[in-house]
Amino acid sequence: MSTDDAFAAAYRAHYWAVSRFVARRLDAPAHEVEEVVADVFSIAWRRRAELPDAPLPWLYGVARNCLANTVRGMGRYRRLLHRLGNHEAAHGRQTVESPDAERPGAWVHAALGRLSAADQEVLRLTAWEELTVEELAVALGCGRSAAAMRLHRARRRLRAEIDRTRTPVSVRGGGDGHE
């Protein structure tokens, strides 16, 4: 199969997975998500000779870099608007409490949100994108052992955060010692 054919097959097979990956991580209008996805595939086109046989984890790695660039650009734009005195535009749309904020399992998302961005990403890649440790290593651009260790540590920190959050105050030693 030629590199052009391999790229076309990867595009057809993985466009929607990459789109969902980007949309879950970028709190922005659909057209901005589409721009990031377009960047991912334009980079994949330019580097199509490097496309691995299983390209999805590699595409996720490219998407992570594109997202980082986009987020940095958005931050610069907001700072510029703030300096110009347009405070409302600088802060984007208002944040409104989601109607499903109290849905079952919301506490897991809250615990995940308290982890570092790196831990969140490792857990999302394995849970949401269903990557194996080998695929995680490709997406993160590191070795298998490093990926496995990062995943292990992220899971351990998530478990500790869940345990800390779900433990009653009296058990944590917050009482006066009397029953």
Side-chain angles (χ1 to χ4, degrees):
M1 180 182 319
S2 75
T3 57
D4 291 0
D5 291 339
F7 170 82
Y11 180 84
R12 282 190 305 274
H14 303 302
Y15 177 85
W16 291 111
V18 172
S19 293
R20 287 187 303 272
F21 175 89
V22 171
R24 283 192 287 259
R25 287 160 176 79
L26 187 64
D27 183 24
H31 73 275
E32 290 183 28
V33 171
E34 291 169 6
E35 286 180 29
V36 173
V37 174
D39 287 344
V40 170
F41 283 102
S42 70
I43 290 167
W45 171 256
R46 288 193 306 271
R47 296 177 58 193
R48 65 191 177 277
E50 302 171 36
L51 210 58
D53 291 336
L56 186 58
W58 185 84
L59 290 168
Y60 286 153
V62 172
R64 291 179 70 239
N65 292 332
C66 290
L67 281 164
N69 291 337
T70 298
V71 169
R72 278 192 298 275
M74 292 168 100
R76 287 190 298 269
Y77 177 71
R78 286 186 182 118
R79 286 190 301 278
L80 173 63
L81 289 177
H82 184 69
R83 281 195 306 262
L84 295 174
N86 189 348
H87 298 294
E88 284 188 46
H91 292 96
R93 57 182 179 259
Q94 279 188 310
T95 303
V96 177
E97 187 66 29
S98 171
D100 60 349
E102 295 301 318
R103 72 182 189 274
W107 55 271
V108 174
H109 292 284
L112 181 66
R114 287 188 294 274
L115 296 178
S116 71
D119 282 349
Q120 289 180 40
E121 184 64 4
V122 167
L123 294 168
R124 287 177 177 142
L125 283 166
T126 55
W128 291 357
E129 287 15 287
E130 300 178 353
L131 297 187
T132 65
V133 172
E134 290 79 14
E135 293 168 332
L136 178 64
V138 172
L140 296 176
C142 64
R144 185 200 183 287
S145 297
M149 183 56 70
R150 287 174 67 178
L151 178 59
H152 171 74
R153 288 178 178 161
R155 285 177 173 162
R156 187 180 66 214
R157 286 189 277 264
L158 178 60
R159 168 55 42 206
E161 187 60 36
I162 289 170
D163 289 346
R164 185 189 67 76
T165 303
R166 300 194 41 101
T167 302
V169 174
S170 61
V171 174
R172 281 193 235 153
D176 61 2
H178 299 107
E179 294 293 319

